[in-house]
C-alpha cells in the first residue's frame, strides 16, 4: 500500500485531519504524524491540550496498523504526559510492539521540534473483520 493510498483513506478521519494531523511516513507497523501547533490547540495554561496529544498518538498507531494492511480500531488507550507542550511543532512516531491475530499493541512517542519528549500513548488495537462487508 502506498503512502498516497493511506493518506486518501485517512482523509475520512475528519477529526484527526481536521485538527491538523499530517501523515509524513507510513509503512507496515510504523508511522510518523506531525502537527503544527496553533492557538486552537492550546488549553487555558497556553500549552497543547492533552486531547490533542491523545488524538495524535491514536492516529499514529491507527496509521501504522492500516499501513500493515489491517483495519484496526483502538480497544484500549492510555497516555502518559511527560512535559508541557509549549512548542511550535509536534511529531508522533508509532510502532507495533506485538501483532496478534485479533489484538495488537502499539505505542506512539510524541516529541516537540527540539526532540523533547512530550507524551507517550499506548494502545491495544482490535482487528476488524472486513470480509463480511461490515465496517465493524
Amino acid at each position: 500500500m502506498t503512502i498516497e493510498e493511506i493518506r486518501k483513506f485517512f482523509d475520512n478521519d475528519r477529526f484527526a485531519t481536521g485538527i491538523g494531523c499530517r501523515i509524513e511516513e507510513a509503512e507496515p507497523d510504523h508511522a510518523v504524524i506531525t502537527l503544527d501547533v496553533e492557538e486552537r490547540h492550546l488549553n487555558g495554561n497556553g500549552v497543547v491540550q492533552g486531547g490533542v496529544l491523545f488524538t495524535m498518538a491514536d492516529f499514529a498507531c491507527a496509521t501504522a496498523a492500516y499501513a500493515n494492511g489491517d483495519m484496526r480500531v483502538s480497544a484500549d488507550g492510555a497516555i502518559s504526559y511527560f512535559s508541557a507542550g509549549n512548542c511550535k511543532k509536534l511529531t508522533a512516531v508509532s510502532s507495533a510492539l506485538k501483532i496478534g491475530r485479533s489484538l495488537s499493541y502499539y505505542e506512539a512517542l510524541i516529541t516537540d521540534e527540539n526532540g523533547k519528549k512530550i507524551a507517550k500513548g499506548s494502545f491495544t488495537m482490535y482487528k476488524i473483520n472486513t470480509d463480511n462487508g461490515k465496517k465493524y
Side-chain angles (χ1 to χ4, degrees):
M1 184 174 311
T2 68
I3 193 164
E4 290 80 17
E5 291 170 318
I6 294 166
R7 285 177 178 146
K8 182 176 171 68
F9 174 80
F10 281 107
D11 280 347
N12 289 321
D13 191 325
R14 289 172 290 285
F15 187 77
T17 59
I19 67 166
C21 291
R22 291 182 311 278
I23 300 170
E24 303 293 345
E25 296 176 26
E27 53 191 53
D29 301 322
H30 170 81
V32 177
I33 304 298
T34 59
L35 177 110
D36 293 326
V37 176
E38 301 171 12
E39 192 77 20
R40 65 185 171 137
H41 299 121
L42 306 181
N43 65 18
N45 291 320
V47 297
V48 177
Q49 203 270 346
V52 171
L53 299 169
F54 189 93
T55 297
M56 282 189 74
D58 184 46
F59 188 58
C61 292
T63 302
Y66 188 72
N68 191 40
D70 290 339
M71 179 63 67
R72 293 185 183 267
V73 295
S74 296
D76 182 57
I79 192 157
S80 297
Y81 301 104
F82 304 139
S83 183
N86 188 8
C87 54
K88 295 180 181 180
K89 185 174 184 176
L90 292 166
T91 301
V93 178
S94 67
S95 58
L97 300 181
K98 167 80 169 88
I99 302 296
R101 281 183 299 169
S102 59
L103 293 175
S104 295
Y105 186 80
Y106 287 79
E107 285 189 345
L109 180 64
I110 301 173
T111 57
D112 69 9
E113 66 272 12
N114 297 312
K116 183 177 181 182
K117 294 175 183 170
I118 304 297
K120 180 188 79 165
S122 305
F123 296 86
T124 301
M125 307 208 45
Y126 175 73
K127 184 176 181 179
I128 298 172
N129 178 3
T130 56
D131 296 335
N132 61 11
K134 296 180 181 177
K135 283 193 169 190
Y136 296 95

